[in-house]
Coordinates of all heavy atoms in Angstrom, one line a residue:
K1 N 30.7 -9.6 -3.3 CA 29.9 -9.8 -2.1 C 29.4 -11.2 -2.0 O 28.8 -11.7 -3.0 CB 28.8 -8.8 -2.0 CG 27.9 -8.9 -0.9 CD 27.0 -7.7 -0.9 CE 25.6 -8.0 -0.4 NZ 24.7 -6.9 -0.4
L2 N 29.5 -11.9 -0.9 CA 29.0 -13.2 -0.7 C 28.1 -13.2 0.5 O 28.4 -12.6 1.5 CB 30.2 -14.2 -0.4 CG 29.9 -15.7 -0.2 CD1 29.2 -16.3 -1.4 CD2 31.2 -16.4 0.1
V3 N 26.9 -13.7 0.3 CA 25.9 -13.6 1.4 C 25.4 -15.0 1.8 O 25.1 -15.8 0.9 CB 24.6 -12.8 0.9 CG1 23.6 -12.7 2.0 CG2 25.1 -11.4 0.5
F4 N 25.4 -15.3 3.1 CA 25.0 -16.6 3.6 C 23.8 -16.4 4.5 O 23.8 -15.5 5.3 CB 26.1 -17.2 4.5 CG 27.3 -17.7 3.8 CD1 28.4 -17.0 3.7 CD2 27.3 -19.0 3.2 CE1 29.5 -17.4 3.0 CE2 28.4 -19.5 2.5 CZ 29.5 -18.7 2.4
P5 N 22.8 -17.3 4.4 CA 21.7 -17.2 5.4 C 22.2 -17.8 6.7 O 22.8 -18.8 6.8 CB 20.6 -18.1 4.8 CG 21.3 -19.1 3.9 CD 22.6 -18.3 3.4
V6 N 21.8 -17.1 7.8 CA 22.2 -17.5 9.2 C 21.1 -17.2 10.1 O 20.8 -16.0 10.4 CB 23.5 -16.8 9.6 CG1 23.9 -17.2 11.1 CG2 24.7 -17.1 8.7
D7 N 20.5 -18.2 10.7 CA 19.4 -18.1 11.7 C 18.4 -17.0 11.4 O 18.2 -16.1 12.2 CB 20.1 -17.8 13.1 CG 21.0 -18.9 13.5 OD1 20.7 -20.1 13.2 OD2 22.0 -18.6 14.2
G8 N 17.8 -17.1 10.2 CA 16.8 -16.1 9.8 C 17.3 -14.8 9.4 O 16.5 -13.8 9.2
S9 N 18.6 -14.6 9.3 CA 19.2 -13.3 8.9 C 20.2 -13.7 7.8 O 20.2 -14.7 7.2 CB 19.9 -12.7 10.1 OG 20.4 -11.4 9.7
T10 N 21.1 -12.8 7.6 CA 22.2 -13.0 6.6 C 23.5 -12.6 7.1 O 23.6 -11.7 8.0 CB 21.9 -12.3 5.2 OG1 21.9 -10.9 5.5 CG2 20.7 -12.8 4.6
M11 N 24.6 -13.2 6.6 CA 26.0 -12.8 6.9 C 26.6 -12.4 5.6 O 26.6 -13.2 4.7 CB 26.7 -13.9 7.6 CG 28.1 -13.5 8.0 SD 29.0 -14.9 8.9 CE 28.0 -14.9 10.4
E12 N 27.2 -11.3 5.5 CA 27.8 -10.8 4.3 C 29.3 -10.7 4.4 O 29.9 -10.3 5.4 CB 27.2 -9.4 3.9 CG 25.7 -9.4 3.7 CD 25.2 -8.1 3.3 OE1 25.9 -7.1 3.3 OE2 24.0 -8.0 3.1
F13 N 30.0 -11.1 3.3 CA 31.4 -11.1 3.2 C 31.8 -10.3 1.9 O 31.1 -10.5 0.9 CB 32.0 -12.5 3.1 CG 31.8 -13.3 4.3 CD1 30.6 -14.1 4.4 CD2 32.7 -13.3 5.3 CE1 30.4 -14.9 5.5 CE2 32.5 -14.1 6.4 CZ 31.3 -14.9 6.5
Y14 N 32.8 -9.5 2.0 CA 33.3 -8.7 0.9 C 34.7 -9.0 0.6 O 35.5 -9.2 1.6 CB 33.1 -7.2 1.2 CG 31.7 -6.8 1.4 CD1 31.1 -6.8 2.7 CD2 30.9 -6.3 0.4 CE1 29.8 -6.5 2.9 CE2 29.6 -5.9 0.6 CZ 29.1 -6.0 1.8 OH 27.8 -5.6 2.0
G15 N 35.1 -9.2 -0.6 CA 36.5 -9.5 -0.9 C 36.7 -9.6 -2.4 O 35.8 -9.3 -3.2
T16 N 37.9 -10.0 -2.8 CA 38.3 -10.1 -4.2 C 39.1 -11.4 -4.4 O 40.0 -11.7 -3.6 CB 39.1 -8.9 -4.6 OG1 38.4 -7.7 -4.3 CG2 39.5 -9.0 -6.0
Y17 N 38.8 -12.2 -5.4 CA 39.6 -13.3 -5.8 C 40.9 -12.7 -6.4 O 40.9 -11.9 -7.3 CB 38.9 -14.2 -6.8 CG 37.9 -15.1 -6.2 CD1 36.5 -14.7 -6.2 CD2 38.2 -16.2 -5.5 CE1 35.5 -15.5 -5.7 CE2 37.2 -17.0 -5.0 CZ 35.9 -16.7 -5.0 OH 35.0 -17.4 -4.4
T18 N 42.0 -13.1 -5.8 CA 43.3 -12.7 -6.3 C 44.1 -13.7 -7.1 O 45.0 -13.4 -7.8 CB 44.2 -12.2 -5.1 OG1 44.4 -13.2 -4.2 CG2 43.5 -11.0 -4.4
E19 N 43.6 -15.0 -7.0 CA 44.3 -16.0 -7.7 C 43.3 -17.2 -7.9 O 42.6 -17.6 -7.0 CB 45.5 -16.6 -7.0 CG 46.3 -17.6 -7.7 CD 47.6 -18.0 -6.9 OE1 47.9 -17.3 -5.9 OE2 48.1 -19.0 -7.3
V20 N 43.1 -17.6 -9.2 CA 42.3 -18.7 -9.5 C 43.0 -19.7 -10.4 O 43.3 -19.3 -11.5 CB 40.9 -18.3 -10.1 CG1 40.1 -19.5 -10.5 CG2 40.2 -17.3 -9.2
K21 N 43.4 -20.8 -9.9 CA 44.0 -21.9 -10.7 C 43.1 -23.1 -10.7 O 43.0 -23.8 -9.7 CB 45.4 -22.3 -10.1 CG 46.4 -21.2 -10.3 CD 47.8 -21.6 -9.8 CE 48.8 -20.5 -9.9 NZ 50.1 -21.0 -9.4
P22 N 42.3 -23.3 -11.8 CA 41.3 -24.4 -11.8 C 41.9 -25.7 -11.3 O 43.0 -26.1 -11.6 CB 40.9 -24.5 -13.2 CG 41.2 -23.1 -13.8 CD 42.4 -22.6 -13.0
N23 N 41.1 -26.4 -10.4 CA 41.5 -27.7 -9.9 C 42.7 -27.7 -9.0 O 43.3 -28.7 -8.7 CB 41.6 -28.7 -11.0 CG 40.4 -28.8 -11.9 OD1 39.3 -28.9 -11.4 ND2 40.6 -28.8 -13.2
S24 N 43.2 -26.5 -8.6 CA 44.4 -26.5 -7.9 C 44.4 -25.5 -6.7 O 44.8 -25.9 -5.6 CB 45.5 -26.1 -8.8 OG 46.8 -25.9 -8.2
R25 N 44.1 -24.2 -6.9 CA 44.3 -23.2 -5.9 C 43.3 -22.0 -6.1 O 43.1 -21.6 -7.2 CB 45.7 -22.7 -6.0 CG 46.2 -21.7 -5.0 CD 47.6 -21.4 -5.3 NE 48.1 -20.3 -4.6 CZ 48.8 -20.3 -3.4 NH1 49.0 -21.4 -2.8 NH2 49.2 -19.1 -2.9
L26 N 42.8 -21.5 -4.9 CA 42.0 -20.3 -4.9 C 42.5 -19.4 -3.8 O 42.9 -19.9 -2.7 CB 40.5 -20.6 -4.6 CG 39.7 -21.4 -5.6 CD1 38.3 -21.7 -5.0 CD2 39.5 -20.6 -6.8
V27 N 42.7 -18.1 -4.1 CA 43.1 -17.2 -3.1 C 42.1 -16.0 -3.2 O 41.8 -15.5 -4.3 CB 44.5 -16.7 -3.3 CG1 45.0 -15.7 -2.2 CG2 45.5 -17.9 -3.4
W28 N 41.6 -15.6 -2.0 CA 40.7 -14.4 -2.0 C 40.9 -13.6 -0.7 O 41.5 -14.1 0.3 CB 39.3 -14.8 -2.1 CG 38.7 -15.6 -1.0 CD1 38.1 -15.1 0.1 CD2 38.5 -17.0 -0.9 NE1 37.7 -16.1 0.9 CE2 37.9 -17.3 0.3 CE3 38.9 -18.0 -1.8 CZ2 37.6 -18.6 0.7 CZ3 38.6 -19.3 -1.3 CH2 38.0 -19.6 -0.1
T29 N 40.5 -12.3 -0.8 CA 40.6 -11.4 0.4 C 39.2 -11.4 1.0 O 38.2 -11.6 0.4 CB 41.0 -10.0 0.0 OG1 40.0 -9.5 -0.9 CG2 42.3 -10.0 -0.7
N30 N 39.2 -11.2 2.3 CA 38.0 -10.9 3.1 C 38.2 -9.6 3.8 O 39.0 -9.5 4.6 CB 37.8 -12.0 4.2 CG 37.6 -13.4 3.6 OD1 36.7 -13.7 2.9 ND2 38.6 -14.3 3.8
D31 N 37.4 -8.6 3.4 CA 37.5 -7.3 3.9 C 36.9 -7.3 5.3 O 35.7 -7.6 5.5 CB 36.8 -6.3 3.1 CG 37.0 -4.9 3.5 OD1 37.5 -4.6 4.6 OD2 36.6 -4.0 2.7
E32 N 37.7 -7.0 6.3 CA 37.3 -7.0 7.7 C 37.0 -5.6 8.2 O 37.1 -5.3 9.4 CB 38.4 -7.6 8.6 CG 38.9 -9.0 8.2 CD 37.9 -10.1 8.6 OE1 36.9 -9.8 9.4 OE2 38.0 -11.2 8.1
G33 N 36.7 -4.7 7.3 CA 36.4 -3.3 7.6 C 37.6 -2.6 8.1 O 38.7 -2.7 7.5
D34 N 37.5 -1.9 9.2 CA 38.6 -1.1 9.8 C 39.7 -2.0 10.3 O 40.8 -1.5 10.6 CB 38.1 -0.2 10.9 CG 37.2 0.9 10.4 OD1 37.3 1.2 9.2 OD2 36.4 1.4 11.1
S35 N 39.4 -3.3 10.5 CA 40.4 -4.2 11.1 C 41.4 -4.7 10.1 O 42.4 -5.3 10.5 CB 39.7 -5.4 11.7 OG 38.8 -5.0 12.8
G36 N 41.2 -4.5 8.8 CA 42.1 -5.0 7.8 C 41.6 -6.0 6.9 O 40.3 -6.2 6.8
V37 N 42.4 -6.8 6.2 CA 42.0 -7.7 5.2 C 42.6 -9.1 5.6 O 43.8 -9.2 5.9 CB 42.5 -7.3 3.8 CG1 42.3 -8.4 2.8 CG2 41.9 -6.0 3.4
T38 N 41.7 -10.1 5.6 CA 42.2 -11.5 5.8 C 42.4 -12.1 4.4 O 41.6 -11.8 3.5 CB 41.1 -12.3 6.6 OG1 40.9 -11.7 7.9 CG2 41.5 -13.8 6.7
I39 N 43.4 -12.9 4.2 CA 43.7 -13.6 3.0 C 43.5 -15.1 3.2 O 44.1 -15.7 4.1 CB 45.1 -13.3 2.5 CG1 45.3 -11.8 2.3 CG2 45.4 -14.1 1.2 CD1 46.7 -11.4 2.0
T40 N 42.5 -15.6 2.4 CA 42.3 -17.1 2.5 C 42.8 -17.7 1.2 O 42.6 -17.3 0.1 CB 40.7 -17.3 2.5 OG1 40.2 -16.7 3.7 CG2 40.4 -18.8 2.6
T41 N 43.6 -18.8 1.5 CA 44.1 -19.7 0.4 C 43.6 -21.1 0.6 O 43.7 -21.7 1.7 CB 45.7 -19.7 0.5 OG1 46.1 -18.3 0.4 CG2 46.3 -20.5 -0.6
V42 N 43.0 -21.6 -0.5 CA 42.5 -23.0 -0.5 C 43.3 -23.7 -1.6 O 43.3 -23.3 -2.8 CB 41.0 -23.0 -0.7 CG1 40.5 -24.5 -0.7 CG2 40.3 -22.2 0.3
T43 N 43.9 -24.9 -1.3 CA 44.5 -25.7 -2.3 C 43.8 -27.0 -2.4 O 43.3 -27.5 -1.4 CB 46.0 -25.9 -2.0 OG1 46.2 -26.5 -0.7 CG2 46.8 -24.6 -2.0
F44 N 43.8 -27.6 -3.5 CA 43.2 -28.9 -3.8 C 44.3 -29.8 -4.4 O 44.9 -29.4 -5.4 CB 42.1 -28.7 -4.8 CG 41.0 -27.7 -4.4 CD1 41.2 -26.4 -4.8 CD2 39.9 -28.1 -3.7 CE1 40.2 -25.4 -4.4 CE2 39.0 -27.2 -3.3 CZ 39.1 -25.8 -3.7
E45 N 44.5 -30.9 -3.7 CA 45.6 -31.8 -4.2 C 45.1 -33.3 -4.2 O 44.4 -33.7 -3.2 CB 46.7 -31.7 -3.2 CG 47.9 -32.6 -3.6 CD 49.1 -32.4 -2.6 OE1 48.9 -31.6 -1.6 OE2 50.1 -33.0 -2.8
E46 N 45.3 -34.0 -5.3 CA 44.9 -35.3 -5.4 C 45.8 -36.2 -4.6 O 47.0 -36.1 -4.7 CB 44.9 -35.8 -6.9 CG 44.4 -37.2 -7.0 CD 44.3 -37.7 -8.5 OE1 44.4 -36.9 -9.4 OE2 44.2 -38.9 -8.6
C47 N 45.2 -37.1 -3.8 CA 45.9 -38.0 -3.0 C 45.2 -39.4 -3.0 O 44.1 -39.5 -2.4 CB 46.0 -37.5 -1.5 SG 47.0 -36.0 -1.3
D48 N 45.8 -40.4 -3.6 CA 45.2 -41.7 -3.7 C 43.8 -41.7 -4.2 O 42.9 -42.3 -3.6 CB 45.3 -42.4 -2.3 CG 46.7 -42.6 -1.8 OD1 47.6 -42.8 -2.7 OD2 46.9 -42.4 -0.6
G49 N 43.5 -40.9 -5.2 CA 42.2 -40.9 -5.8 C 41.2 -40.0 -5.1 O 40.0 -40.0 -5.5
K50 N 41.6 -39.3 -4.1 CA 40.7 -38.4 -3.3 C 41.3 -37.0 -3.4 O 42.5 -36.9 -3.8 CB 40.6 -38.9 -1.9 CG 39.9 -40.2 -1.7 CD 39.8 -40.6 -0.3 CE 39.1 -41.9 -0.1 NZ 38.9 -42.3 1.3
T51 N 40.5 -36.0 -3.0 CA 41.0 -34.7 -3.0 C 41.3 -34.2 -1.6 O 40.4 -34.2 -0.8 CB 40.0 -33.7 -3.7 OG1 39.8 -34.2 -5.1 CG2 40.5 -32.3 -3.8
Q52 N 42.5 -33.8 -1.4 CA 42.8 -33.2 -0.1 C 42.7 -31.7 -0.2 O 43.2 -31.1 -1.1 CB 44.3 -33.5 0.3 CG 44.7 -32.9 1.6 CD 46.1 -33.3 2.0 OE1 46.4 -34.5 2.0 NE2 46.8 -32.4 2.5
I53 N 41.9 -31.1 0.7 CA 41.7 -29.6 0.7 C 42.5 -29.0 1.9 O 42.3 -29.5 3.0 CB 40.2 -29.3 0.8 CG1 39.4 -29.9 -0.3 CG2 40.0 -27.8 0.9 CD1 37.9 -29.7 -0.1
T54 N 43.3 -28.0 1.6 CA 44.0 -27.3 2.7 C 43.6 -25.9 2.6 O 43.6 -25.2 1.6 CB 45.5 -27.4 2.4 OG1 45.9 -28.8 2.4 CG2 46.3 -26.7 3.5
I55 N 43.2 -25.4 3.8 CA 42.7 -24.0 3.9 C 43.6 -23.3 4.9 O 43.9 -23.7 6.0 CB 41.2 -24.0 4.4 CG1 40.3 -24.8 3.5 CG2 40.7 -22.6 4.6 CD1 39.0 -25.1 4.0
H56 N 44.0 -22.1 4.4 CA 44.9 -21.3 5.2 C 44.4 -19.9 5.2 O 44.1 -19.3 4.2 CB 46.3 -21.3 4.6 CG 47.3 -20.5 5.4 ND1 47.6 -19.2 5.1 CD2 48.0 -20.7 6.5 CE1 48.5 -18.7 5.9 NE2 48.8 -19.6 6.8
D57 N 44.1 -19.3 6.4 CA 43.7 -17.9 6.6 C 44.8 -17.1 7.2 O 45.4 -17.5 8.2 CB 42.5 -17.8 7.5 CG 41.2 -18.3 6.9 OD1 41.0 -18.1 5.7 OD2 40.3 -18.8 7.6
L58 N 45.2 -16.0 6.6 CA 46.2 -15.1 7.1 C 45.4 -13.8 7.6 O 44.9 -13.1 6.8 CB 47.2 -14.7 6.1 CG 48.2 -13.7 6.5 CD1 49.1 -14.2 7.7 CD2 49.1 -13.3 5.3
Y59 N 45.3 -13.7 9.0 CA 44.5 -12.6 9.6 C 45.4 -11.4 9.8 O 46.6 -11.5 10.1 CB 43.9 -13.1 10.9 CG 42.9 -14.2 10.7 CD1 43.2 -15.5 10.9 CD2 41.6 -13.8 10.4 CE1 42.2 -16.5 10.7 CE2 40.6 -14.8 10.3 CZ 40.9 -16.1 10.4 OH 39.9 -17.1 10.3
P60 N 44.8 -10.2 9.7 CA 45.6 -9.0 9.9 C 45.9 -8.8 11.4 O 46.9 -8.0 11.7 CB 44.7 -7.9 9.4 CG 43.3 -8.4 9.5 CD 43.4 -9.9 9.3
N61 N 45.2 -9.4 12.3 CA 45.5 -9.2 13.8 C 44.8 -10.3 14.6 O 44.0 -11.1 14.0 CB 45.1 -7.8 14.2 CG 43.6 -7.5 14.0 OD1 42.7 -8.3 14.3 ND2 43.4 -6.4 13.3
T62 N 45.1 -10.4 15.8 CA 44.5 -11.5 16.7 C 43.0 -11.3 16.9 O 42.3 -12.4 16.9 CB 45.2 -11.4 18.1 OG1 46.6 -11.5 17.9 CG2 44.7 -12.5 19.0
E63 N 42.5 -10.1 16.9 CA 41.1 -10.0 17.1 C 40.3 -10.5 16.0 O 39.3 -11.2 16.1 CB 40.7 -8.5 17.3 CG 41.2 -7.9 18.6 CD 42.7 -7.5 18.6 OE1 43.3 -7.3 17.4 OE2 43.3 -7.5 19.6
C64 N 40.8 -10.3 14.7 CA 40.1 -10.9 13.6 C 40.2 -12.4 13.6 O 39.2 -13.1 13.2 CB 40.7 -10.3 12.3 SG 40.3 -8.6 12.0
M65 N 41.3 -12.9 14.0 CA 41.5 -14.4 14.0 C 40.5 -15.0 15.0 O 39.8 -16.0 14.7 CB 42.9 -14.8 14.4 CG 43.1 -16.3 14.4 SD 44.8 -16.7 14.9 CE 44.8 -16.3 16.6
Q66 N 40.3 -14.4 16.2 CA 39.4 -15.0 17.2 C 38.0 -15.0 16.8 O 37.2 -15.8 17.2 CB 39.6 -14.2 18.5 CG 41.0 -14.5 19.1 CD 41.3 -13.7 20.3 OE1 40.7 -12.6 20.6 NE2 42.3 -14.1 21.1
G67 N 37.6 -14.0 16.0 CA 36.2 -13.9 15.5 C 36.0 -14.3 14.1 O 35.0 -14.2 13.5
G68 N 37.1 -14.9 13.5 CA 37.0 -15.2 12.1 C 36.3 -16.5 11.7 O 35.6 -17.1 12.5
S69 N 36.5 -16.9 10.5 CA 35.8 -18.0 9.9 C 36.2 -19.4 10.5 O 35.5 -20.3 10.2 CB 36.0 -18.0 8.4 OG 37.4 -18.2 8.1
M70 N 37.2 -19.4 11.3 CA 37.6 -20.7 11.8 C 36.5 -21.3 12.6 O 36.4 -22.5 12.6 CB 38.8 -20.5 12.8 CG 40.1 -20.2 12.0 SD 41.5 -19.8 13.1 CE 41.6 -21.3 14.1
N71 N 35.7 -20.5 13.2 CA 34.6 -21.1 14.0 C 33.5 -21.7 13.1 O 32.9 -22.7 13.6 CB 33.9 -19.9 14.8 CG 34.8 -19.3 15.8 OD1 35.7 -19.9 16.3 ND2 34.6 -18.0 16.1
A72 N 33.4 -21.3 11.9 CA 32.4 -21.8 11.0 C 32.9 -22.9 10.1 O 32.2 -23.6 9.4 CB 31.7 -20.7 10.2
M73 N 34.2 -23.1 10.0 CA 34.8 -23.9 9.0 C 34.4 -25.4 9.2 O 34.1 -26.0 8.2 CB 36.4 -23.8 9.1 CG 37.0 -24.5 7.9 SD 36.5 -23.8 6.3 CE 37.1 -22.2 6.4
P74 N 34.4 -26.0 10.4 CA 33.9 -27.4 10.5 C 32.5 -27.6 9.9 O 32.2 -28.6 9.2 CB 34.0 -27.7 12.0 CG 35.0 -26.7 12.5 CD 34.8 -25.5 11.7
E75 N 31.6 -26.7 10.2 CA 30.2 -26.8 9.7 C 30.2 -26.6 8.2 O 29.5 -27.4 7.5 CB 29.3 -25.7 10.3 CG 27.9 -25.8 9.9 CD 27.0 -24.7 10.5 OE1 27.4 -24.0 11.4 OE2 25.8 -24.6 10.0
S76 N 31.0 -25.7 7.7 CA 31.0 -25.5 6.2 C 31.6 -26.7 5.5 O 31.0 -27.2 4.5 CB 31.9 -24.3 5.9 OG 31.3 -23.1 6.4
L77 N 32.6 -27.3 6.0 CA 33.2 -28.5 5.4 C 32.2 -29.7 5.5 O 32.2 -30.5 4.6 CB 34.6 -28.8 6.0 CG 35.6 -27.8 5.7 CD1 36.9 -28.1 6.4 CD2 35.9 -27.7 4.2
G78 N 31.5 -29.8 6.6 CA 30.5 -30.8 6.8 C 29.4 -30.7 5.8 O 29.0 -31.7 5.2
Q79 N 29.0 -29.5 5.5 CA 28.0 -29.2 4.5 C 28.5 -29.6 3.1 O 27.8 -30.2 2.3 CB 27.5 -27.8 4.5 CG 26.7 -27.5 5.7 CD 26.4 -26.0 5.9 OE1 26.9 -25.2 5.1 NE2 25.6 -25.6 6.9
L80 N 29.8 -29.3 2.8 CA 30.4 -29.6 1.6 C 30.4 -31.1 1.4 O 30.0 -31.7 0.3 CB 31.8 -29.0 1.4 CG 32.6 -29.4 0.2 CD1 31.9 -29.0 -1.1 CD2 34.0 -28.9 0.3
E81 N 30.8 -31.8 2.4 CA 30.9 -33.3 2.4 C 29.5 -33.9 2.1 O 29.3 -34.8 1.2 CB 31.4 -33.9 3.7 CG 31.5 -35.4 3.7 CD 32.0 -35.9 5.0 OE1 31.8 -35.3 6.0 OE2 32.6 -37.0 4.9
E82 N 28.5 -33.4 2.8 CA 27.1 -33.8 2.6 C 26.6 -33.6 1.2 O 26.0 -34.5 0.5 CB 26.2 -33.1 3.6 CG 24.8 -33.6 3.6 CD 23.9 -32.8 4.6 OE1 24.3 -32.8 5.8 OE2 22.9 -32.2 4.2
M83 N 26.9 -32.4 0.6 CA 26.5 -32.1 -0.8 C 27.2 -33.1 -1.8 O 26.6 -33.6 -2.7 CB 26.9 -30.7 -1.1 CG 26.5 -30.3 -2.5 SD 27.1 -28.6 -3.0 CE 28.8 -29.0 -3.3
L84 N 28.5 -33.3 -1.6 CA 29.3 -34.1 -2.5 C 28.8 -35.6 -2.4 O 28.7 -36.3 -3.4 CB 30.8 -34.1 -2.2 CG 31.4 -32.7 -2.5 CD1 32.9 -32.7 -2.0 CD2 31.4 -32.4 -3.9
L85 N 28.5 -36.1 -1.2 CA 28.0 -37.4 -1.1 C 26.6 -37.6 -1.7 O 26.3 -38.7 -2.4 CB 27.9 -37.8 0.4 CG 29.2 -38.1 1.1 CD1 29.1 -38.3 2.6 CD2 30.0 -39.2 0.5
S86 N 25.8 -36.6 -1.6 CA 24.4 -36.7 -2.3 C 24.5 -36.6 -3.8 O 23.6 -37.1 -4.5 CB 23.5 -35.6 -1.7 OG 23.9 -34.3 -2.1
A87 N 25.6 -36.0 -4.3 CA 25.7 -35.8 -5.7 C 26.4 -37.0 -6.4 O 26.3 -37.2 -7.6 CB 26.6 -34.6 -6.0
G88 N 27.1 -37.8 -5.6 CA 27.9 -38.9 -6.1 C 27.2 -40.2 -6.3 O 27.4 -41.0 -7.1

């Protein structure tokens, strides 16, 4: 279970890591309840001294895709960038 604070409340995600390759690849499931399971794959690849991140979501149906994490991804990646810059 993964819990995020959102506007004074929380958003909960349920799933299982199905593949973990350090410094290379993560794959996990996102349980969408009765709608099915979304599979997220994230790969990390070194390119000219930087890390390229590729994120792929496989949704069980169109409805899940339209309401899925794609809407939050730009904000999440922006927060990741901010955190990495402040740590560096």
Side-chain angles (χ1 to χ4, degrees):
K1 177 172 144 178
L2 181 61
V3 180
F4 288 98
V6 177
D7 300 327
S9 186
T10 59
M11 182 178 293
E12 298 180 358
F13 296 90
Y14 298 87
T16 303
Y17 284 97
T18 59
E19 185 177 346
V20 177
K21 292 184 179 177
N23 305 313
S24 176
R25 180 179 167 97
L26 294 172
V27 181
W28 67 85
T29 63
N30 298 295
D31 186 349
E32 304 286 345
D34 293 337
S35 299
V37 174
T38 297
I39 300 171
T40 299
T41 303
V42 181
T43 57
F44 306 89
E45 183 178 1
E46 184 179 343
C47 296
D48 298 323
K50 297 182 179 184
T51 302
Q52 178 175 318
I53 299 172
T54 303
I55 302 168
H56 180 264
D57 285 326
L58 178 60
Y59 292 97
N61 55 53
T62 303
E63 293 78 25
C64 288
M65 182 180 70
Q66 291 171 342
S69 63
M70 290 176 55
N71 299 330
M73 193 57 65
E75 181 180 353
S76 296
L77 292 175
Q79 290 172 352
L80 174 61
E81 179 180 33
E82 186 177 305
M83 182 189 75
L84 292 173
L85 290 173
S86 69

